[in-house]
């Protein structure tokens, strides 16, 4: 395996008294597509939110592209990261949320341009061009000046992907990005993710309940159960040939 | 006692003179309250419990004491306090007294505006790696401010109506001037009626103005949002 792009090392997370992640060890290779599956409440969202720096691990370390995420080295010692350090490492990571979280006071083009301009100092003209290209790629080239409230859920989610992609992250995180959508809109969003995945160079971690989709695009499927990684392997190993009772009873809920 | 139009005309110059003081003082108090409201709002956001509790207590204290008592305290009692005591002129006392009093209400408005923003907005801004300054100026405040405008307008009118309280510490505002004029001539009906009419004449257009501003804001959102649907991140 090439030098991993992200490494979780014995990561624990508690909310108050409740330990929701009980020692996560996980390595993600560059360009690897990882599907994260598991019952509701098993800690999937928390795992990726820690990588996005939205939730701080209680203990353990996360390394992104060779750099500690939540720690920094000072006089040879590991100390908690400050915001400056977080900002520097976070630049490699992008995320798409279940509820889109578009900025409602900005047109969809502005939604895409705000970060390249203000975070990366990309000149306005170039940011615009990159954003237009990305919005065209997700099939919204004719909606540049629309506002989020004018779009369907599927369209909103495609804008959210374009907005994250213009920042050119090395890892993209997807948290159940289709589960807030009407069933007839799920397909268009999965199609876009499939396209992105095919292009290859970006690592992706997808929390999903779409098992066929996971089988289709994932290099590896990770099954999370009660805050631990219970099974992992190729889609065939995990989704079809596992002996684990917990996993099979979980999977049986998705078979009709 | 009959209504005397000549007397009305005679009293006008004094009342006008007081009116400028009242208006100027209202605006000064309001600006002070808006600025100081920011201070409360941001100090309160510092994530340190003891400080938050102290600030909450002070704000509650200021809010539950009558503004008149606060003015009297600042004007008459403050100069006698050892070491920190200061004698201030009536206008300064008025600006600080009413300004601080109302800043606690204004701070509450700011807070409600900021807290009405979904935490997903903050998270998306973090995911895009925006700086703290950009999060505030580009994402949060542009959404938080417009809905607070009608409430902020209300407070301008409320403050305008409280400014005559400062007459008690000798600020020569409209009420003060009318009262003096009345006592000189032993006839209060005309000057005091004029004061009431002036207050109405000022308050009403201000209220209308803010209503227009609010409608303007709404229209701005309408243009963005011809379907009239409100984006709560929910499915269509
Ligand atoms: N901010 C929070 N405060 C308290 N408990 C939380 C918080 N976020 C998540 N949890 C709890 O942590 C557990 C794992 O949540 P989550 O990572 O969202 O699971 P999943 O995404 O697999 O459904 C759940 O029991 C959830 O209630
Ligand atoms: Mg979840």
């Amino acid at each position: 395996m090439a030098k991993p792009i992200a490494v979780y090392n014995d990561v624990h997370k508690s909310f108050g008294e409740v330990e929701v992640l009980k020692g996560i060890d996980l390595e993600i290779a560059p360009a690897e597509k990882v599907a994260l599956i598991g019952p509701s409440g098993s800690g999937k969202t928390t795992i990726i939110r820690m990588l996005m720096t939205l939730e701080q691990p209680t203990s353990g370390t996360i390394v992104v592209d060779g750099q500690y995420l939540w720690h920094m080295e000072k006089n040879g010692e590991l100390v908690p990261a400050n915001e400056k350090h977080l900002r520097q490492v976070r630049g490699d990571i992008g995320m798409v949320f279940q509820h889109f979280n578009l900025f409602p006071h900005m047109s969809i083009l502005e939604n895409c341009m705000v970060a390249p301009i203000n975070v990366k100092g990309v000149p306005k003209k170039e940011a615009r061009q990159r954003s237009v290209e990305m919005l065209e790629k997700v099939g919204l080239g004719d909606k540049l000046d629309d506002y989020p409230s004018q779009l369907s859920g599927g369209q909103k989610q495609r804008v959210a992907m374009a907005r994250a992609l213009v920042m050119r992250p090395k890892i993209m995180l997807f948290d159940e990005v289709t589960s807030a959508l009407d069933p007839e809109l799920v397909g268009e969003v999965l199609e876009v993710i499939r396209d992105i995945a095919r292009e290859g160079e970006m690592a992706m971690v997808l929390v999903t309940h779409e098992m066929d989709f996971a089988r289709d695009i994932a290099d590896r499927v990770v099954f999370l159960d009660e805050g631990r990684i219970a099974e992992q392997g190729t889609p065939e190993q995990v989704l079809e040939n596992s002996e684990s009772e917990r996993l099979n009873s979980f999977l049986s809920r998705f078979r009709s | 006692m009959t209504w005397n139009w000549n007397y009305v005309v005679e009293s006008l110059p004094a009342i006008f003179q007081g009116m400028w003081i009242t208006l100027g003082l209202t605006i000064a108090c309001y600006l002070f309250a808006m600025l100081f409201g920011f201070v409360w709002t941001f100090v309160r956001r510092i994530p340190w419990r003891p400080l938050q509790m102290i600030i909450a207590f002070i704000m509650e204290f200021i809010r539950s004491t009558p503004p008149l008592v606060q003015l009297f305290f600042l004007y008459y009692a403050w100069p006698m306090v050892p070491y920190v005591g200061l004698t201030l002129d009536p206008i300064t006392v008025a600006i600080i007294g009413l300004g601080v009093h109302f800043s606690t209400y204004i701070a509450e408005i700011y807070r409600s505006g900021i807290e009405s923003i979904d935490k997903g907005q903050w998270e998306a801004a973090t995911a895009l790696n925006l700086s703290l300054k950009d999060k505030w100026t580009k994402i949060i405040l542009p959404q938080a401010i417009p809905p607070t405008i009608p409430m902020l307008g209300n407070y301008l009118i409320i403050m305008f109506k409280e400014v005559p309280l400062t007459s008690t510490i000798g600020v020569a505002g409209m009420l003060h001037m009318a009262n003096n004029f009345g006592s000189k001539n032993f006839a209060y009906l005309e000057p005091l009626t004029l004061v009431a009419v002036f207050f109405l004449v000022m308050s009403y257009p201000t209220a209308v103005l803010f209503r227009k501003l609010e409608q303007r804001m709404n229209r701005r959102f309408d243009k963005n949002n011809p379907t009239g649907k409100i984006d709560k991140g929910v499915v269509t």
Side-chain angles (χ1 to χ4, degrees):
Chain A
M1 187 154 134
K3 187 166 152 284
I5 188 74
V7 182
Y8 290 68
N9 200 333
D10 194 25
V11 171
H12 293 249
K13 176 67 187 176
S14 304
F15 290 107
E17 298 285 286
V18 190
E19 187 171 49
V20 302
L21 292 177
K22 300 162 183 162
I24 298 296
D25 291 289
L26 182 65
E27 290 196 1
I28 299 153
E32 192 184 14
K33 319 295 182 234
V34 178
L36 197 50
I37 63 170
S40 161
S42 57
K44 306 180 295 295
T45 297
T46 308
I47 286 191
I48 60 173
R49 281 172 62 84
M50 289 191 302
L51 193 51
M52 192 65 260
T53 70
L54 297 172
E55 217 74 77
Q56 183 166 12
T58 312
S59 70
T61 57
I62 300 176
V63 174
V64 175
D65 205 10
Q67 270 188 298
Y68 284 109
L69 179 63
W70 283 103
H71 300 85
M72 48 192 197
E73 278 156 292
K74 204 174 182 181
N75 310 325
E77 270 183 76
L78 277 192
V79 297
N82 58 20
E83 175 61 19
K84 185 165 165 250
H85 176 87
L86 286 173
R87 276 200 85 200
Q88 188 220 322
V89 184
R90 183 158 60 207
D92 285 341
I93 309 160
M95 180 159 176
V96 184
F97 299 86
Q98 189 172 351
H99 293 289
F100 330 130
N101 298 348
L102 296 180
F103 304 131
H105 59 300
M106 295 179 179
S107 71
I108 69 170
L109 185 58
E110 289 165 341
N111 263 277
C112 295
M113 288 167 63
V114 63
I117 291 174
N118 293 290
V119 178
K120 295 204 159 164
V122 176
K124 205 164 176 181
K125 222 174 122 198
E126 191 193 328
R128 188 189 162 85
Q129 189 197 331
R130 261 160 72 170
S131 300
V132 171
E133 271 168 28
M134 205 55 83
L135 284 164
E136 277 167 356
K137 191 150 119 188
V138 300
L140 293 169
D142 56 338
K143 302 248 184 245
L144 302 179
D145 296 320
D146 281 21
Y147 281 77
S149 55
Q150 292 167 260
L151 305 180
S152 73
Q155 291 170 327
K156 283 181 200 167
Q157 199 56 297
R158 286 186 277 150
V159 175
M161 282 191 261
R163 182 176 70 173
L165 286 169
V166 287
M167 291 298 277
R168 300 178 176 164
K170 293 181 184 159
I171 317 172
M172 268 273 265
L173 310 172
F174 297 77
D175 190 7
E176 294 193 36
V177 296
T178 56
S179 53
L181 300 176
D182 282 351
E184 72 270 19
L185 300 175
V186 169
E188 63 185 66
V189 171
L190 294 184
E191 203 44 54
V192 171
I193 300 177
R194 227 177 237 124
D195 286 346
I196 301 169
R198 261 191 222 112
E199 281 174 24
E201 67 263 39
M202 192 173 64
M204 291 164 64
V205 181
L206 304 109
V207 173
T208 184
H209 289 304
E210 306 282 339
M211 294 305 156
D212 293 333
F213 176 70
R215 176 178 305 118
D216 205 20
I217 72 156
D219 301 311
R220 178 159 53 126
V221 177
V222 174
F223 173 60
L224 199 69
D225 192 26
E226 293 179 340
R228 287 195 179 86
I229 294 177
E231 298 276 319
Q232 58 178 317
T234 63
E236 292 72 33
Q237 285 167 344
V238 175
L239 299 176
E240 278 146 39
N241 301 311
S242 171
E243 317 253 280
S244 156
E245 219 170 282
R246 293 278 300 177
L247 175 52
N248 285 323
S249 96
F250 169 72
L251 289 174
S252 67
R253 277 183 262 158
F254 298 92
R255 298 200 185 96
S256 38
Chain B
M1 195 187 237
T2 50
W3 183 264
N4 182 341
W5 284 107
N6 286 336
Y7 187 50
V8 169
V9 175
E10 275 167 42
S11 68
L12 274 177
I15 291 177
F16 266 123
Q17 202 191 333
M19 185 188 77
W20 292 117
I21 303 263
T22 301
L23 284 181
L25 193 55
T26 305
I27 290 168
C29 288
Y30 191 59
L31 292 179
F32 189 96
M34 300 253 281
L35 283 176
F36 214 70
F38 265 116
V39 176
W40 292 124
T41 308
F42 284 93
V43 172
R44 259 188 129 173
R45 292 186 67 85
I46 296 171
W48 190 51
R49 279 298 280 169
L51 181 70
Q52 288 173 347
M53 281 161 69
I54 290 168
I55 296 290
F57 176 80
I58 297 175
M59 288 177 77
E60 194 51 50
F61 179 76
I62 293 173
R63 234 175 305 175
S64 40
T65 327
L68 187 57
V69 175
Q70 288 165 4
L71 288 174
F72 273 28
F73 181 86
L74 279 178
Y75 193 61
Y76 296 112
W78 188 246
M80 320 237 176
V81 176
Y83 305 116
V84 289
L86 264 182
T87 305
L88 300 168
D89 64 278
I91 296 273
T92 311
V93 168
I95 293 173
I96 296 177
L98 291 181
V100 169
H101 184 83
F102 281 98
S103 71
T104 58
Y105 292 94
I106 303 263
E108 224 39 70
I109 296 175
Y110 292 154
R111 188 168 76 125
S112 73
I114 291 165
E115 284 180 0
S116 71
I117 305 303
D118 182 61
K119 87 176 194 321
Q121 295 289 305
W122 289 98
E123 294 184 348
T126 300
L128 291 169
N129 214 3
L130 291 177
S131 67
L132 187 61
K133 175 179 153 276
D134 285 341
K135 284 181 191 175
W136 279 107
T137 59
K138 305 218 150 54
I139 309 300
I140 303 303
L141 292 180
Q143 297 182 65
I145 290 172
T148 64
I149 286 175
M151 282 184 287
L152 290 176
N154 268 344
Y155 271 98
L156 178 59
I157 294 166
I158 292 172
M159 287 182 75
F160 180 51
K161 291 190 291 187
E162 296 291 325
V163 161
L165 281 180
T166 60
S167 147
T168 56
I169 55 168
V171 174
M174 200 156 47
L175 178 66
H176 199 79
M177 297 300 271
N179 200 38
N180 282 356
F181 195 81
S183 66
K184 240 186 314 185
N185 301 287
F186 307 107
Y188 293 92
L189 176 65
E190 290 85 350
L192 289 183
T193 307
L194 277 180
V195 170
V197 170
F198 273 128
F199 268 98
L200 176 70
V201 166
M202 305 282 182
S203 297
Y204 186 69
T206 310
V208 172
L209 197 78
F210 272 95
R211 216 171 299 146
K212 283 259 145 55
L213 195 62
E214 183 191 2
Q215 279 163 5
R216 169 88 132 299
M217 288 284 173
N218 286 342
R219 245 196 322 265
R220 198 178 65 109
F221 279 116
D222 272 352
K223 178 180 61 110
N224 302 346
N225 181 13
T227 57
K229 279 179 288 190
I230 294 176
D231 182 11
K232 291 250 187 267
V234 185
V235 221
T236 21

